[in-house]
Amino acid sequence: RKPNVAILGATGAVGQEFITLFEERQFPFAELKLLASARSAGTELSVCGKTYIVEEAKPESFEGIDIALFAGGSISKTLAPEAVKRGAIVIDNSSTFRMDPNVPLVVPEVNPEDIDTHKGIIANPNCSTIIMALGLKPLHDLSPIKRIVVSTYQAVSGAGKEGIDELNNQTKAHMAEQEMEANILPSASLPKHYPIAFNVIPQIDIFMDNDYTKEEMKMVLETQKILHDDAIQVVPTTIRIPVFRSHSESVLVETESPVSVADFKAACDAFPGLIVKDNPKEQEYPMPLYTSGKDDCEIGRIRKDLYNDKGMNFWIVGDQIRKGAALNALQIAEYLVEKQSF
Ligand code: 2RA
């Protein structure tokens, strides 16, 4: 049987990506409901050649729905329990339920077995965590990971359509020798904003009491949950750069015992969703311009720590709207459909 599906947040960046992926992957569905806030209700969207009218999301919208894909945002908190109450399985891209012990947090290539433990809600990890997890898992399988030091280079589309508009507008203003206006980054909710065009901002989301940002602490806690090991040390620095799409990450990992570059590369090669692009002689390495719009993440610059034989260094890049959000969620839905478990 094919599921009845709802997409909540259908008009946003992640929602639009769900629609593109439905078409590309020929995701099987019986009925489809496109939902959004009252502001976007009435918008017409075409999915797989059929026109749908976006409806305002209400608790009753989930009546008869088997799988509900939530694109993200604070609305998940109220509507996810309502959808579950009505029999839907919610795959949620917001951060609301990620650390709830009753909610599995899943990257399908890494911990698909956790999907089966769900009690109605399955959480999609944060984009930077998902992309890093794809590089970590093949290494973790060769020797357990003890410690990670990661710096991210995150695209403006991680901050939504407003982030994209801001980089565009600031670039145009700068080229026209006009003042750049900044209202969104580093975080729209904060009083102070900086231009991202021709700049780098070492803050993503708000600061926590320990002076790490919320985005950084997501990388710590979510990585530990996905890899089922709270003892893994993660030391992150998350940075916004003036790139439209695809996050990049420089990752230094210490494992329990030494792993050779050849073994790690072979494991990455065999790992689903990961492409090894690593040929220094030919200047081949992953770059965000070339991973955008693609399903797979790319890993390169693989080399040993210069001073520690248990240390492995790599650079990983992935489309954060696709694998970092919509695709990851849809892969979870595909798992449920394949198992007819909805
Ligand atoms: C960002 N990680 O890039 C966020 C989006 N979830 O801002």
Side-chain angles (χ1 to χ4, degrees), residues 126-128 154-155 158-159 204 215 240 247:
N126 182 38
C127 47
S128 18
Q154 297 185 216
I204 294 182
E215 181 81 358
R240 186 78 66 193
H247 289 351

Side-chain angles (χ1 to χ4, degrees), residues 20-302:
T20 306
L21 287 165
F22 266 47
E23 293 172 351
E24 266 182 41
R25 298 172 77 85
Q26 301 192 341
F27 179 75
F29 59 88
E31 302 288 327
L32 177 64
K33 239 184 216 185
L34 300 185
L35 304 170
S37 62
R39 194 164 39 93
S40 302
T43 308
E44 285 190 4
L45 292 173
S46 153
V47 186
C48 304
K50 199 174 151 196
T51 301
Y52 292 81
I53 297 174
V54 176
E55 297 170 34
E56 182 185 350
K58 296 186 179 144
E60 313 78 74
S61 311
F62 298 96
E63 230 43 271
I65 294 296
D66 298 303
I67 297 177
L69 297 160
F70 280 34
S74 54
I75 194 155
S76 292
K77 195 168 181 178
T78 45
L79 284 187
E82 294 292 344
V84 173
K85 222 190 278 173
R86 288 166 175 80
I89 300 172
V90 173
I91 305 172
D92 181 36
N93 193 46
S94 83
S95 59
T96 315
F97 304 102
R98 286 182 191 149
M99 295 316 297
D100 183 329
N102 290 313
V103 174
L105 182 66
V106 177
V107 181
E109 294 87 345
V110 177
N111 58 333
E113 67 284 358
D114 289 352
I115 296 174
D116 301 323
T117 67
H118 80 83
K119 297 180 175 63
I121 301 176
I122 302 163
N124 216 35
N126 182 38
C127 47
S128 18
T129 315
I130 293 177
I131 293 165
M132 181 169 74
L134 283 191
L136 295 178
K137 180 66 164 129
L139 188 56
H140 193 57
D141 288 343
L142 290 167
S143 174
I145 290 174
K146 298 269 127 204
R147 183 177 167 84
I148 301 161
V149 181
V150 52
S151 297
T152 68
Y153 303 70
Q154 297 185 216
V156 292
S157 46
K161 197 182 163 311
E162 293 82 1
I164 300 173
D165 291 346
E166 195 150 274
L167 176 55
N168 260 323
N169 293 339
Q170 290 169 354
T171 306
K172 281 185 203 143
H174 184 79
M175 300 317 281
E177 295 183 12
Q178 285 163 2
E179 186 139 354
M180 295 192 282
E181 212 184 291
N183 300 305
I184 301 295
L185 296 168
S187 178
S189 64
L190 294 173
K192 221 171 182 178
H193 299 107
Y194 301 107
I196 184 64
F198 311 99
N199 197 14
V200 164
I201 304 176
Q203 179 187 357
I204 294 182
D205 214 328
I206 56 172
F207 280 101
M208 312 297 285
D209 289 342
N210 64 1
D211 287 348
Y212 280 77
T213 63
K214 202 167 171 189
E215 181 81 358
E216 288 162 352
M217 291 315 294
K218 284 178 187 173
M219 292 193 81
V220 177
L221 301 171
E222 294 178 17
T223 301
Q224 292 170 341
K225 181 165 174 177
I226 293 164
L227 294 179
H228 303 144
D229 185 355
D230 290 349
I232 294 177
Q233 299 176 354
V234 187
V235 187
T237 306
T238 56
I239 314 271
R240 186 78 66 193
I241 59 164
V243 154
F244 283 112
R245 196 161 159 150
S246 274
H247 289 351
S248 308
E249 306 182 15
S250 166
V251 192
L252 174 62
V253 187
E254 189 180 321
T255 48
E256 203 168 277
S257 44
V259 173
S260 73
V261 165
D263 284 352
F264 180 44
K265 275 191 186 173
C268 289
D269 248 332
F271 200 75
L274 199 55
I275 291 176
V276 178
K277 187 171 267 182
D278 193 4
N279 186 357
K281 284 191 191 69
E282 300 295 330
Q283 288 179 264
E284 283 171 6
Y285 31 70
M287 285 182 274
L289 201 53
Y290 308 112
T291 55
S292 297
K294 296 201 181 134
D295 288 351
D296 294 327
C297 292
E298 295 184 358
I299 188 165
R301 300 297 322 277
I302 297 173

